Protein backbone atom coordinates (compact mmCIF):
# COMPACT_ATOMS: atom_id res chain seq x y z
CA UNK A 1 0.00 0.00 0.00
CA UNK A 2 2.97 2.32 0.64
CA UNK A 3 3.30 5.06 -2.03
CA UNK A 4 -0.10 4.23 -3.47
CA UNK A 5 -2.13 7.43 -3.94
CA UNK A 6 -4.95 6.03 -1.79
CA UNK A 7 -2.59 4.97 1.01
CA UNK A 8 -2.87 6.68 4.38
CA UNK A 9 0.15 4.90 5.86
CA UNK A 10 1.92 7.23 8.28
CA UNK A 11 -1.02 9.64 8.54
CA UNK A 12 -2.85 10.46 11.77
CA UNK A 13 -6.60 11.03 11.65
CA UNK A 14 -9.15 12.30 14.17
CA UNK A 15 -12.77 11.25 13.65
CA UNK A 16 -15.24 12.83 16.06
CA UNK A 17 -18.59 11.08 16.46
CA UNK A 18 -16.61 7.99 15.50
CA UNK A 19 -18.28 5.34 17.67
CA UNK A 20 -21.37 4.77 15.53
CA UNK A 21 -22.96 5.15 12.13
CA UNK A 22 -21.21 7.22 9.47
CA UNK A 23 -18.35 8.19 11.79
CA UNK A 24 -17.61 4.57 12.68
CA UNK A 25 -17.77 3.54 9.00
CA UNK A 26 -15.30 6.34 8.25
CA UNK A 27 -12.94 5.08 10.96
CA UNK A 28 -13.12 1.59 9.42
CA UNK A 29 -12.24 2.86 5.95
CA UNK A 30 -9.42 5.13 7.13
CA UNK A 31 -7.94 2.23 9.09
CA UNK A 32 -8.17 0.02 5.99
CA UNK A 33 -6.06 2.55 4.09
CA UNK A 34 -3.44 2.44 6.83
CA UNK A 35 -4.16 5.61 8.84
CA UNK A 36 -3.49 5.82 12.54
CA UNK A 37 -7.00 6.80 13.68
CA UNK A 38 -8.28 8.33 16.92
CA UNK A 39 -12.06 8.15 17.32
CA UNK A 40 -14.06 10.26 19.75
CA UNK A 41 -17.56 10.07 21.25
CA UNK A 42 -19.21 10.67 24.64
CA UNK A 43 -20.32 7.18 25.66
CA UNK A 44 -17.35 5.33 27.13
CA UNK A 45 -18.64 1.82 26.43
CA UNK A 46 -19.44 2.62 22.78
CA UNK A 47 -16.01 4.22 22.35
CA UNK A 48 -14.35 1.10 23.74
CA UNK A 49 -16.44 -1.18 21.47
CA UNK A 50 -15.65 0.87 18.37
CA UNK A 51 -11.94 1.02 19.21
CA UNK A 52 -11.83 -2.75 19.70
CA UNK A 53 -13.68 -3.39 16.43
CA UNK A 54 -11.56 -1.09 14.29
CA UNK A 55 -8.15 -1.05 15.98
CA UNK A 56 -8.37 2.75 16.34
CA UNK A 57 -7.48 4.62 19.52
CA UNK A 58 -10.67 5.59 21.39
CA UNK A 59 -11.07 8.83 23.35
CA UNK A 60 -14.10 9.84 25.38
CA UNK A 61 -14.90 13.45 24.53
CA UNK A 62 -17.66 15.93 23.79
CA UNK A 63 -17.27 18.37 20.90
CA UNK A 64 -20.27 20.54 21.83
CA UNK A 65 -18.44 23.04 24.05
CA UNK A 66 -15.32 25.15 23.99
CA UNK A 67 -13.91 23.23 26.97
CA UNK A 68 -14.81 19.85 25.44
CA UNK A 69 -12.89 20.63 22.26
CA UNK A 70 -9.95 22.14 24.18
CA UNK A 71 -9.66 18.98 26.35
CA UNK A 72 -9.84 16.79 23.27
CA UNK A 73 -7.21 18.76 21.36
CA UNK A 74 -4.88 18.54 24.33
CA UNK A 75 -5.21 14.75 24.48
CA UNK A 76 -5.24 13.87 20.79
CA UNK A 77 -1.98 15.50 19.69
CA UNK A 78 -1.10 16.46 16.12
CA UNK A 79 -3.45 15.26 13.40
CA UNK A 80 -2.95 15.22 9.64
CA UNK A 81 -6.62 14.54 8.92
CA UNK A 82 -9.73 15.88 10.68
CA UNK A 83 -13.15 14.34 10.13
CA UNK A 84 -15.57 16.60 12.01
CA UNK A 85 -18.82 14.85 12.84
CA UNK A 86 -21.35 14.43 15.67
CA UNK A 87 -25.03 13.65 16.10
CA UNK A 88 -27.63 15.95 14.57
CA UNK A 89 -29.11 18.91 16.52
CA UNK A 90 -32.58 18.86 18.09
CA UNK A 91 -35.21 18.21 15.39
CA UNK A 92 -38.30 20.38 14.89
CA UNK A 93 -39.92 23.00 12.67
CA UNK A 94 -38.38 26.48 12.27
CA UNK A 95 -41.07 28.31 14.26
CA UNK A 96 -41.07 25.72 17.03
CA UNK A 97 -37.39 25.93 17.94
CA UNK A 98 -36.42 27.83 21.09
CA UNK A 99 -33.47 30.23 21.47
CA UNK A 100 -31.77 27.49 23.49
CA UNK A 101 -32.28 24.94 20.67
CA UNK A 102 -30.62 27.29 18.19
CA UNK A 103 -27.65 28.09 20.42
CA UNK A 104 -27.17 24.44 21.41
CA UNK A 105 -27.22 23.43 17.75
CA UNK A 106 -24.76 26.23 16.92
CA UNK A 107 -22.26 24.90 19.48
CA UNK A 108 -22.70 21.26 18.46
CA UNK A 109 -22.88 21.53 14.68
CA UNK A 110 -21.07 24.75 13.78
CA UNK A 111 -18.58 25.72 16.49
CA UNK A 112 -17.33 22.15 16.92
CA UNK A 113 -16.06 22.19 13.34
CA UNK A 114 -14.64 25.72 13.65
CA UNK A 115 -12.81 24.91 16.91
CA UNK A 116 -11.43 21.57 15.76
CA UNK A 117 -10.23 22.95 12.42
CA UNK A 118 -8.66 25.95 14.09
CA UNK A 119 -6.90 23.82 16.71
CA UNK A 120 -5.45 21.30 14.26
CA UNK A 121 -4.59 23.69 11.43
CA UNK A 122 -1.17 24.97 12.62
CA UNK A 123 0.37 21.49 12.28
CA UNK A 124 -1.27 20.85 8.89
CA UNK A 125 -0.09 24.19 7.53
CA UNK A 126 3.40 23.83 8.94
CA UNK A 127 3.91 20.45 7.25
CA UNK A 128 2.26 21.57 4.01
CA UNK A 129 -0.29 18.74 3.97
CA UNK A 130 -3.61 18.34 5.68
CA UNK A 131 -7.24 17.35 5.26
CA UNK A 132 -10.32 18.86 6.87
CA UNK A 133 -13.54 17.03 6.11
CA UNK A 134 -16.91 17.67 7.76
CA UNK A 135 -19.91 15.37 7.61
CA UNK A 136 -22.93 17.57 6.88
CA UNK A 137 -26.23 16.54 5.29
CA UNK A 138 -28.23 16.41 2.05
CA UNK A 139 -30.36 19.11 3.70
CA UNK A 140 -27.83 21.78 2.68
CA UNK A 141 -29.45 21.57 -0.76
CA UNK A 142 -32.97 20.37 0.06
CA UNK A 143 -34.16 21.42 3.52
CA UNK A 144 -36.11 18.77 5.40
CA UNK A 145 -39.09 20.59 7.04
CA UNK A 146 -38.64 18.82 10.37
CA UNK A 147 -35.00 19.61 11.12
CA UNK A 148 -34.81 23.41 10.92
CA UNK A 149 -31.69 23.86 13.06
CA UNK A 150 -29.78 21.25 11.09
CA UNK A 151 -30.84 22.76 7.73
CA UNK A 152 -29.58 26.20 8.69
CA UNK A 153 -26.37 25.24 10.45
CA UNK A 154 -25.20 22.66 7.88
CA UNK A 155 -25.39 25.41 5.27
CA UNK A 156 -23.34 27.64 7.57
CA UNK A 157 -20.74 24.88 8.06
CA UNK A 158 -20.55 24.38 4.29
CA UNK A 159 -19.79 28.04 3.60
CA UNK A 160 -17.38 28.27 6.55
CA UNK A 161 -15.46 25.34 5.04
CA UNK A 162 -15.39 26.96 1.61
CA UNK A 163 -13.98 30.12 3.19
CA UNK A 164 -11.38 28.14 5.13
CA UNK A 165 -10.48 26.23 1.95
CA UNK A 166 -9.55 29.55 0.29
CA UNK A 167 -7.29 30.51 3.19
CA UNK A 168 -5.36 27.27 3.51
CA UNK A 169 -5.19 26.11 -0.12
CA UNK A 170 -1.71 27.62 -0.60
CA UNK A 171 -0.45 25.49 2.31
CA UNK A 172 -1.41 22.10 0.85
CA UNK A 173 -4.45 21.69 3.08
CA UNK A 174 -7.76 20.74 1.46
CA UNK A 175 -11.14 21.39 3.09
CA UNK A 176 -14.34 19.69 1.99
CA UNK A 177 -17.80 18.74 3.19
CA UNK A 178 -19.43 15.38 2.54
CA UNK A 179 -23.22 15.49 2.58
CA UNK A 180 -24.91 12.18 3.29
CA UNK A 181 -28.29 11.21 1.87
CA UNK A 182 -30.09 8.33 3.61
CA UNK A 183 -27.80 5.77 5.26
CA UNK A 184 -28.67 2.75 7.40
CA UNK A 185 -27.43 3.99 10.78
CA UNK A 186 -28.98 3.79 14.27
CA UNK A 187 -29.98 7.42 13.92
CA UNK A 188 -31.89 6.78 10.69
CA UNK A 189 -33.61 3.78 12.26
CA UNK A 190 -34.70 5.93 15.21
CA UNK A 191 -36.06 8.69 12.95
CA UNK A 192 -37.98 6.52 10.44
CA UNK A 193 -40.26 3.51 10.84
CA UNK A 194 -39.71 0.53 8.46
CA UNK A 195 -42.74 1.75 6.46
CA UNK A 196 -41.37 5.31 6.21
CA UNK A 197 -38.00 3.92 5.08
CA UNK A 198 -39.76 1.92 2.36
CA UNK A 199 -41.48 5.14 1.20
CA UNK A 200 -38.16 6.98 1.02
CA UNK A 201 -36.94 4.59 -1.66
CA UNK A 202 -39.13 6.16 -4.35
CA UNK A 203 -37.15 9.43 -3.97
CA UNK A 204 -33.77 7.70 -4.39
CA UNK A 205 -32.83 6.83 -8.01
CA UNK A 206 -30.72 3.90 -6.77
CA UNK A 207 -33.83 2.62 -4.88
CA UNK A 208 -31.97 1.71 -1.73
CA UNK A 209 -30.72 3.21 1.53
CA UNK A 210 -26.92 3.59 1.57
CA UNK A 211 -24.55 1.33 3.45
CA UNK A 212 -22.44 3.45 5.87
CA UNK A 213 -19.27 1.85 4.46
CA UNK A 214 -20.11 3.43 1.07
CA UNK A 215 -20.04 6.78 2.82
CA UNK A 216 -16.84 6.07 4.75
CA UNK A 217 -15.10 5.14 1.50
CA UNK A 218 -15.81 8.60 0.04
CA UNK A 219 -14.44 10.32 3.15
CA UNK A 220 -11.35 8.08 2.99
CA UNK A 221 -10.86 9.06 -0.67
CA UNK A 222 -11.03 12.76 0.28
CA UNK A 223 -8.53 12.08 3.07
CA UNK A 224 -6.07 10.48 0.67
CA UNK A 225 -3.59 12.04 -1.71
CA UNK A 226 -5.81 10.82 -4.59
CA UNK A 227 -8.03 13.85 -3.88
CA UNK A 228 -5.18 16.36 -3.84
CA UNK A 229 -6.84 18.78 -6.33
CA UNK A 230 -10.29 18.80 -4.67
CA UNK A 231 -10.98 21.59 -2.19
CA UNK A 232 -13.85 23.83 -1.13
CA UNK A 233 -16.41 21.28 -2.32
CA UNK A 234 -19.57 19.86 -0.79
CA UNK A 235 -19.86 16.35 -2.13
CA UNK A 236 -23.31 14.75 -2.04
CA UNK A 237 -23.27 11.00 -1.41
CA UNK A 238 -26.88 9.99 -1.78
CA UNK A 239 -27.67 7.41 -4.47
CA UNK A 240 -28.86 10.21 -6.77
CA UNK A 241 -31.39 11.69 -4.34
CA UNK A 242 -32.56 15.05 -5.69
CA UNK A 243 -31.75 14.55 -9.36
CA UNK A 244 -35.19 13.30 -10.28
N1 LIG B 1 -27.51 8.60 8.75
C1 LIG B 1 -28.01 9.37 7.82
O1 LIG B 1 -28.68 8.89 6.93
C2 LIG B 1 -27.72 10.87 7.82
C3 LIG B 1 -28.31 11.65 6.82
C4 LIG B 1 -28.04 13.02 6.79
C5 LIG B 1 -27.21 13.58 7.75
N2 LIG B 1 -26.67 12.79 8.72
C6 LIG B 1 -25.81 13.45 9.71
O2 LIG B 1 -24.56 12.79 9.76
C7 LIG B 1 -24.07 12.79 11.08
C8 LIG B 1 -23.77 11.35 11.51
O3 LIG B 1 -24.99 10.62 11.41
P1 LIG B 1 -25.13 9.14 11.99
O4 LIG B 1 -26.38 8.61 11.39
O5 LIG B 1 -23.86 8.41 11.84
O6 LIG B 1 -25.40 9.46 13.54
P2 LIG B 1 -25.33 8.47 14.81
O7 LIG B 1 -25.45 7.06 14.39
O8 LIG B 1 -26.30 9.06 15.78
O9 LIG B 1 -23.83 8.69 15.36
C9 LIG B 1 -23.47 9.91 15.94
C10 LIG B 1 -22.07 9.77 16.53
O10 LIG B 1 -21.69 11.02 17.09
C11 LIG B 1 -21.38 10.86 18.48
N3 LIG B 1 -21.72 12.12 19.14
C12 LIG B 1 -22.93 12.70 19.27
N4 LIG B 1 -22.83 13.86 19.93
C13 LIG B 1 -21.50 14.04 20.21
C14 LIG B 1 -20.77 15.03 20.88
N5 LIG B 1 -21.35 16.10 21.42
N6 LIG B 1 -19.40 14.90 20.98
C15 LIG B 1 -18.77 13.82 20.44
N7 LIG B 1 -19.44 12.82 19.80
C16 LIG B 1 -20.79 12.94 19.69
C17 LIG B 1 -22.21 9.65 18.90
O11 LIG B 1 -21.73 9.00 20.06
P3 LIG B 1 -22.15 9.49 21.55
O12 LIG B 1 -23.63 9.70 21.54
O13 LIG B 1 -21.68 8.40 22.47
O14 LIG B 1 -21.41 10.78 21.79
C18 LIG B 1 -22.00 8.76 17.67
O15 LIG B 1 -20.71 8.19 17.69
C19 LIG B 1 -25.12 13.45 11.97
O16 LIG B 1 -24.79 14.79 12.18
C20 LIG B 1 -26.37 13.35 11.12
O17 LIG B 1 -27.27 14.39 11.40
C21 LIG B 1 -26.91 11.46 8.78
Amino acid sequence: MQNHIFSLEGKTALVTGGSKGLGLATVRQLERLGANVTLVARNELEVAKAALETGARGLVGDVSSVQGVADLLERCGRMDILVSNAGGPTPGKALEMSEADWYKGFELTFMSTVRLAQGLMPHMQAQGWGRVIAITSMTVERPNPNIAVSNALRAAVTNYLRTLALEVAPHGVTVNAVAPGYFATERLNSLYSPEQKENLLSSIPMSRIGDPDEFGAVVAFLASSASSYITGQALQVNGGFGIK
Side-chain angles (χ1 to χ4, degrees):
M1 212 38 161
Q2 199 96 37
N3 298 326
H4 193 282
I5 52 166
F6 292 104
S7 172
L8 292 175
E9 294 284 344
K11 301 279 192 244
T12 51
L14 178 69
V15 181
T16 62
S19 68
K20 287 187 201 162
L22 302 179
L24 176 59
T26 297
V27 172
R28 248 185 244 127
Q29 300 287 7
L30 293 174
E31 282 278 340
R32 265 179 209 159
L33 294 183
N36 188 355
V37 183
T38 298
L39 69 85
V40 178
R42 293 164 304 172
N43 183 298
E44 195 174 352
L45 191 65
E46 298 293 339
V47 167
K49 266 169 51 184
L52 191 68
E53 183 213 307
T54 58
R57 171 170 70 144
L59 287 181
V60 175
D62 186 337
V63 296
S64 68
S65 71
V66 68
Q67 195 54 51
V69 173
D71 287 349
L72 175 59
L73 290 173
E74 205 178 295
R75 285 179 294 149
C76 77
R78 291 172 171 188
M79 290 287 152
D80 306 317
I81 298 159
L82 164 66
V83 180
S84 178
N85 170 54
T90 308
K93 295 188 191 308
L95 295 176
E96 290 168 357
M97 305 314 291
S98 67
E99 283 268 321
D101 291 330
W102 284 104
Y103 279 107
K104 218 172 117 200
F106 178 69
E107 289 283 328
L108 172 70
T109 302
F110 185 81
M111 286 311 296
S112 58
T113 300
V114 172
R115 289 171 181 145
L116 287 164
Q118 194 131 356
L120 295 173
M121 194 56 75
H123 162 68
M124 295 185 194
Q125 284 186 301
Q127 71 173 0
W129 195 97
R131 297 284 185 267
V132 174
I133 300 157
I135 300 181
T136 60
S137 174
M138 61 192 141
T139 59
V140 291
E141 285 192 4
R142 291 163 63 109
N144 174 330
N146 254 329
I147 48 172
V149 177
S150 175
N151 296 337
L153 294 175
R154 308 285 191 187
V157 170
T158 305
N159 227 20
Y160 160 71
L161 293 175
R162 285 157 54 90
T163 311
L164 180 65
L166 283 174
E167 278 177 41
V168 300
H171 303 280
V173 181
T174 67
V175 183
N176 293 290
V178 189
Y182 295 108
F183 283 88
T185 65
E186 265 180 45
R187 185 176 164 279
L188 189 92
N189 290 334
S190 71
L191 288 175
Y192 297 93
S193 67
E195 194 189 343
Q196 285 172 316
K197 275 193 276 180
E198 199 55 41
N199 291 339
L200 289 177
L201 299 185
S202 60
S203 65
I204 306 171
M206 293 187 83
S207 300
R208 64 181 177 83
I209 304 281
D211 179 329
D213 281 343
E214 294 177 289
F215 185 85
V218 175
V219 180
F221 159 69
L222 286 175
S224 74
S225 291
S227 72
S228 50
Y229 205 50
I230 301 177
T231 197
Q233 303 304 308
L235 187 53
Q236 296 272 343
V237 184
N238 58 22
F241 176 76
I243 59 173
K244 72 175 185 182

